[in-house]
Amino acid sequence: MCYIVAKDRNKQGCYALKSRIGKDLAKYTRELNKAISKDGIQIIVISRPTAYGEYAPYVFVESEEKFKKLVLEMQKTEAKKAL
């Protein structure tokens, strides 16, 4: 078991999605990274949230679709800041 974490480097907190290590996870994270610019958003995979306090507070998301939607909204917010 692991967690995919999306973090805006300029803000406190993150979104997290419980997942399983494997090819599907690798494909999903690759797709997310292609969908965003890497300037302000970080996508990582961690073993357990309690071990990574620097990303707290965690907002846990229940589905891949919801997680992707939230990450893309983070991207839009980051793009607006750059203008």
Side-chain angles (χ1 to χ4, degrees):
M1 197 60 58
C2 64
Y3 292 84
I4 306 167
V5 173
K7 167 96 173 97
D8 181 331
R9 292 181 182 142
N10 301 314
K11 294 183 180 179
Q12 195 172 21
C14 69
Y15 295 113
L17 174 67
K18 196 175 200 179
S19 189
R20 293 181 188 261
I21 293 175
K23 289 181 182 180
D24 291 337
L25 173 63
K27 180 180 175 188
Y28 183 70
T29 56
R30 219 176 4 260
E31 288 172 0
L32 281 176
N33 277 314
K34 284 182 184 177
I36 62 170
S37 82
K38 299 193 173 67
D39 289 340
I41 299 172
Q42 180 181 27
I43 304 290
I44 59 164
V45 177
I46 61 173
S47 56
R48 62 187 194 284
T50 55
Y52 297 88
E54 65 268 28
Y55 298 113
Y58 289 86
V59 175
F60 294 96
V61 180
E62 296 296 322
S63 71
E64 286 184 355
E65 294 81 23
K66 178 71 174 175
F67 186 80
K68 185 173 184 177
K69 181 180 176 188
L70 291 167
V71 170
L72 293 175
E73 286 175 9
M74 288 170 67
Q75 174 67 30
K76 287 179 189 174
T77 302
E78 197 60 32
K80 285 180 186 176
K81 283 188 225 174
L83 296 176

